[in-house]
Amino acid sequence: MVLAGEGHEVTLLERDGAPVPEPSEAWEAWQRRGVNQFRLLHFFLPRFRIELEAALPRVVAALEEAGAARVHPLADAPASVTGGTRPGDERYGTLTGRRPVVESVLARCAEATPGVTVRRGEAVESLLTGPSARPGVPHVVGVRTAAGEELRADLVVDVTGRRSALPSWLEAAGGRRPPEELADAGFVYFGRHFRSVDGSQPPIIGPLLQAYGSISVLTLPADNGTWSIGVITSSRDSAMRAVKDPDRWTAVVKSLPLAAHWLDGECMTEGVDVMAKIEDRHRSFVVEGEPLVTGLVAVADSWACTNPSVGRGASIGLLHVLALRDTLRRHGPDEPVALAEAFGEATEAVVEPWYRDTVAFDHHRLLEIDGEISGVPYRPDSPEWEIFKALGAASGQDPDCLRAVLAIGSLVALPSEVLAEPGLLDKVVGLGASWRDAPAFGPSRQDLLATVAG
């Protein structure tokens, strides 16, 4: 939709053949076989809403019509905590919903967009190449579908997600596989969905992502009076695998002070949905200033993907799309080398920092969980982690620190940008330095294991 708005003619090949249902029917009726997390927990951050309102306002209107929830973390918080309403606070509000509902809205809007042709049930099998724009570098001029049809294009955009076959396609086309960083993110998700009888949402009385020692919990508002709860554990924590049992899962959530009230609704999930073996992956398509391919770009999860607990995937993906739009304004497909190089630079400048920040957070959080399990507190030689933890502690004591946490969590500003605000770091150090000495809020490891054991 973004590229069609720039005057490009876009053909979208979608492997899944099922027609898109009405948003009101999407949860029950739509099966997206190619998306394993389709019915699991989702939340769309404020940055996604901000960029969507600027680039595709009609999609925002369609989401609201479908019942997407407007959520603002400061709306119901007392003035003693927030310092009252301030200019700019609107940027922390979001528009969110369950994945099937949001995707059905996006898909239906795309199909109605002039310049966009959606072909469902058609998978790509390989790339078509033409004369190279740079010696030794394959130039892509289209794709070949699984049915054998050849489709030619000035530019191919890979948005096939975290399991993209692009490296193999490039190799088969005579090119190099992109250098890849790959590791198991190390988290397991145990989630369930709920709804109210009157369309209301549980009150937000704590962060949507809360750490309780060796586990974390997600409490996520969604559309039409629905929400989801997720218990996040380390894949190495064998004792916590029992929470795939609904009774054990419920008992764990009940033991978490700021999350227990989210159970007050009708459960919509049979059993407990589990997602594991989540990978952090990063691919480089420009190496030492040289593109590995021209005529093709990889966007969003096809380029890099991370553990989804902080909910950044859709926002980073949209930022990447907008970076492609802006790059195409400067270099059209008739400048394939310049386009590839410029998009590589834009990727590194616009979205790479968010990927690195997310991976670093996950790394420290997993090691912190390991420390909770072993009984040996995690004490890394990392000023960044210490500052992050101190900022979290200070956020409950100072409105500036609270907004700093919201800015980072909302994907509005990078940690380095937030901490550059005059005087903020002094507040963080002064108010949050003793975060290690704060009393535990929630069950101890021993209590948690007793709850899981029943």
Side-chain angles (χ1 to χ4, degrees):
M1 286 184 279
V2 168
L3 295 183
E6 296 287 297
H8 301 286
E9 293 290 328
V10 181
T11 299
L12 171 65
L13 302 183
E14 164 59 59
R15 180 177 59 185
D16 287 345
V20 182
E22 293 282 348
S24 60
E25 301 171 354
W27 179 257
E28 300 291 343
W30 204 10
Q31 300 296 320
R32 291 277 275 118
R33 303 296 185 188
V35 185
N36 72 333
Q37 72 273 31
F38 187 60
R39 298 180 68 81
L40 295 175
L41 285 69
H42 272 78
F43 188 74
F44 295 84
L45 295 178
R47 187 62 181 269
F48 184 78
R49 187 267 310 163
I50 291 169
E51 300 300 345
L52 205 61
E53 285 180 339
L56 298 169
R58 62 188 177 83
V59 175
V60 174
L63 285 169
E64 291 186 310
E65 184 178 350
R70 287 272 182 183
V71 179
H72 200 294
L74 299 178
D76 298 320
S80 59
V81 174
T82 66
T85 302
R86 296 181 178 181
D89 280 352
E90 65 279 359
R91 62 183 179 162
Y92 306 126
T94 194
L95 183 66
T96 191
R98 291 167 292 172
R99 165 79 181 252
V101 174
V102 172
E103 186 166 336
S104 68
V105 171
L106 290 168
R108 293 173 73 84
C109 286
E111 290 176 343
T113 298
V116 174
T117 300
V118 181
R119 296 174 53 167
R120 295 191 173 274
E122 300 195 31
V124 173
E125 185 174 83
S126 60
L127 304 174
L128 302 177
T129 58
S132 293
R134 175 163 287 180
V137 176
H139 178 65
V140 174
V141 296
V143 298
R144 182 178 291 105
T145 70
E149 182 181 3
E150 294 187 352
L151 296 174
R152 295 186 174 267
D154 296 325
L155 180 67
V156 173
V157 183
D158 175 21
V159 285
T160 55
R162 59 174 60 231
R163 292 182 175 83
S164 168
L166 182 55
S168 298
W169 292 340
L170 283 177
E171 194 171 45
R176 293 171 51 193
R177 296 180 72 92
E180 187 172 85
E181 304 169 23
L182 179 64
D184 187 335
F187 294 97
V188 182
Y189 294 78
F190 301 89
R192 307 186 85 187
H193 285 81
F194 293 80
R195 64 184 166 203
S196 65
V197 296
D198 59 1
S200 63
Q201 295 275 354
I204 298 174
I205 58 175
L208 300 182
L209 173 61
Q210 304 167 33
Y212 286 94
S214 60
I215 66 170
S216 298
V217 64
L218 283 165
T219 49
L220 304 177
D223 60 279
N224 297 291
T226 65
W227 63 91
S228 57
I229 308 171
V231 176
I232 308 171
T233 72
S234 166
S235 59
R236 297 189 287 267
D237 193 354
S238 58
M240 292 304 299
R241 293 173 190 167
V243 296
K244 65 183 178 183
D245 174 81
D247 292 337
R248 297 300 93 220
W249 183 92
T250 300
V252 167
V253 177
K254 279 185 177 179
S255 74
L256 308 178
L258 300 182
H261 68 286
W262 288 80
L263 291 168
D264 295 336
E266 176 191 353
C267 187
M268 304 166 62
T269 308
E270 288 188 22
V272 176
D273 293 326
V274 182
M275 182 167 64
K277 297 182 179 178
I278 306 160
E279 295 174 329
D280 290 329
R281 176 187 284 115
H282 179 283
R283 293 168 174 156
S284 299
F285 294 90
V286 177
V287 179
E288 296 180 351
E290 289 294 317
L292 301 184
V293 62
T294 59
L296 179 148
V297 293
V299 171
D301 282 1
S302 299
W303 156 73
C305 55
T306 63
N307 155 47
S309 68
V310 287
R312 293 176 169 181
S315 298
I316 291 176
L318 182 51
L319 288 173
H320 209 188
V321 167
L322 298 175
L324 176 60
R325 176 201 65 187
D326 296 343
T327 301
L328 283 167
R329 288 174 176 175
R330 301 192 305 273
H331 302 285
D334 57 338
E335 303 175 79
V337 175
L339 173 59
E341 292 174 344
F343 187 60
E345 293 171 357
T347 297
E348 185 173 349
V350 174
V351 289
E352 180 93 13
W354 286 113
Y355 171 82
R356 297 298 171 190
D357 180 72
T358 307
V359 170
F361 173 84
D362 290 345
H363 169 77
H364 287 294
R365 177 60 182 139
L366 275 174
L367 292 176
E368 184 179 50
I369 289 173
D370 287 344
E372 292 285 342
I373 295 171
S374 68
V376 179
Y378 178 50
R379 295 183 180 275
D381 183 18
S382 170
E384 292 81 9
W385 181 248
E386 293 291 329
I387 291 172
F388 171 78
K389 297 294 286 189
L391 177 59
S395 66
Q397 307 171 61
D398 180 81
D400 293 333
C401 294
L402 172 60
R403 285 170 173 79
V405 168
L406 291 176
I408 296 169
S410 300
L411 223 74
V412 168
L414 286 161
S416 57
E417 297 168 335
V418 169
L419 293 169
E421 291 291 325
L424 183 66
L425 187 56
D426 291 338
K427 284 189 174 184
V428 171
V429 173
L431 296 172
S434 60
W435 66 268
R436 291 183 184 278
D437 301 324
F441 189 64
S444 66
R445 175 69 180 177
Q446 290 73 25
D447 291 339
L448 180 65
L449 292 178
T451 299
V452 172

